[in-house]
Amino acid sequence: MKAVIQRVTNARVLVNGEVISEIGKGLCVLIGICNNDTEEDLKYISRKILNTRLFEENGKRWMKSVKDMNYEILCISQFTLYYRLKGNKPDFHHAMGGERAKEMYDQLLATLGKDHNPDKIKDGVFGAMMNVQIFNDGPVTIEIESPVKAVKLDDKEAESSNS
């Protein structure tokens, strides 16, 4: 599982021109789910989203997490995070498909809500074409991937290219 986390002053999601979700200060998180992700990966990503210190306190940077500050989180499912380029064309065969991905994504949202304030967890519409408006604060953007997956994907690709 992969998360691209952006510290924002505000963010919102529109589908067909209609605002579906919006947040004030907090994090906008793009979530990619790999085809072999497990609950262990989900828990890792959830813990990192909630506890990574991206906010300042008393003028000192990197002191507080979104959870510490009781800020909001806007999650957006984004299968394109698990791309591999084949020439100039992206290939998404590492991304988890359809219904399984939606179940895992919904479980991630539930886990974030359980470990934070459920009213502070917002999301877009799974599988929809979305317009995501992000007002990046800093700008601060980091990428986190569950460690087991990053190694396994790279090893499998190395094996296939050596064959």
Side-chain angles (χ1 to χ4, degrees):
M1 191 169 282
K2 188 181 293 188
V4 175
I5 302 170
Q6 297 185 328
R7 187 177 73 189
V8 299
T9 55
N10 60 8
R12 64 183 181 168
V13 178
L14 293 90
V15 175
N16 297 323
E18 179 185 341
V19 175
I20 301 300
S21 291
E22 64 184 311
I23 65 168
K25 195 160 184 69
L27 300 176
C28 183
V29 184
L30 308 175
I31 300 289
I33 303 172
C34 185
N35 58 17
N36 58 359
D37 276 335
T38 65
E39 190 171 337
E40 199 175 305
D41 299 293
L42 183 146
K43 288 177 181 175
Y44 175 87
I45 291 295
S46 176
R47 191 171 55 251
K48 290 298 185 181
I49 291 168
L50 293 175
N51 296 306
T52 300
R53 295 181 296 188
L54 299 175
F55 298 93
E56 62 182 58
E57 177 182 57
N58 300 325
K60 292 184 181 179
R61 294 182 183 176
W62 322 119
M63 298 301 291
K64 296 287 186 175
S65 69
V66 69
K67 187 175 176 178
D68 294 335
M69 302 299 287
N70 198 31
Y71 287 157
E72 296 175 293
I73 301 170
L74 176 60
C75 290
I76 308 296
S77 63
Q78 191 166 352
F79 77 93
T80 61
L81 292 178
Y82 274 105
Y83 77 94
R84 294 293 182 258
L85 285 179
K86 288 190 172 184
N88 291 324
K89 183 178 179 183
D91 173 73
F92 304 106
H93 76 274
H94 285 301
M96 185 179 285
E99 201 53 42
R100 279 183 51 221
K102 180 165 180 13
E103 289 172 14
M104 183 147 302
Y105 177 73
D106 288 344
Q107 187 177 353
L108 174 65
L109 294 173
T111 301
L112 288 167
K114 180 179 67 86
D115 295 337
H116 189 34
N117 176 343
D119 295 332
K120 301 280 184 176
I121 309 300
K122 310 288 171 86
D123 72 321
V125 177
F126 186 90
M129 283 295 282
M130 294 176 272
N131 180 300
V132 182
Q133 298 177 346
I134 301 168
F135 297 89
N136 202 309
D137 181 20
V140 172
T141 303
I142 65 169
E143 181 180 341
I144 297 173
E145 186 166 16
S146 48
V148 176
K149 292 299 173 267
V151 171
K152 285 183 182 178
L153 285 177
D154 290 342
D155 288 349
K156 283 182 184 179
E157 293 208 349
E159 288 171 16
S160 66
S161 66
N162 290 334
S163 304

